Amino acid sequence: DAGITQSPRHKVTETGTPVTLRCHQTENHRYMYWYRQDPGHGLRLIHYSYGVKDTDKGEVSDGYSVSRSKTEDFLLTLESATSSQTSVYFCAISRTGVNTEAFFGQGTRLTVV
Amino acid sequence: DQQVKQNSPSLSVQEGRISILNCDYTNSMFDYFLWYKKYPAEGPTFLISISSIKDKNEDGRFTVFLNKSAKHLSLHIVPSQPGDSAVYFCAASAYKSFGNEKLTFGTGTRLTIIP
């Protein structure tokens, strides 16, 4: 199994509070991704990173920010959590980003009440 | 705008028979396609992939077929086993230009294998 650890695995938070999810990898892969999974929508890309301090937006980036200060860590921050951000969040890593598979973490279930 | 579409949300197949999962895409820039399998409470796991220079790729019980002219791919599982019951996601990526190093996923098909 690819060395990807997401923390926390479960979190309940209140509307309006900031939340940070962490993804840690031990594979030294260049590319890291944050996806969210929702019924009827599959997996949608929030943000991704193609190197330290290099990030770009995905299709559902509003309300989210990311940071990557080290190769192994990719943080996803919900600036002010809303109920629409209740979801399961998956981190993924990829060696080259193209023509290759991405490996996923176990997921973080976030509930915003 | 859903660039990768899986129009069947669910599929039930008898154990031992063939399971066929379908996926359509609209972006002609996509040139690499993957299938992922997902069990509840776990992350998706890579199953099989195919490059646009091929029309078929086989790995054990799993075969992926690509029809570029129809912008369609399918995953065949033969024979189907109870452990194949999961949600299957189709994904695609576009290699040719910078900024496209990411996977676009379909909405998934829940496969249930009936013993």
Side-chain angles (χ1 to χ4, degrees), chain A residues 30-33 35 45 47-50 54-59 94-102, chain B residues 3-4 27-34 91-105:
Chain A
R30 178 182 174 190
Y31 291 85
M32 298 186 75
Y33 308 85
Y35 286 89
L45 182 66
H47 282 280
Y48 72 104
S49 170
Y50 47 95
D54 292 322
T55 65
D56 204 353
K57 296 179 180 179
E59 60 180 302
S94 174
R95 184 172 52 84
T96 65
V98 294
N99 290 7
T100 187
E101 65 267 31
Chain B
Q3 297 186 65
V4 178
N27 188 341
S28 58
M29 296 293 288
F30 287 146
D31 56 8
Y32 193 72
F33 305 89
L34 308 90
S93 68
Y95 162 74
K96 294 184 175 68
S97 52
F98 179 76
N100 281 316
E101 312 95 324
K102 51 190 180 288
L103 296 176
T104 299
F105 283 82

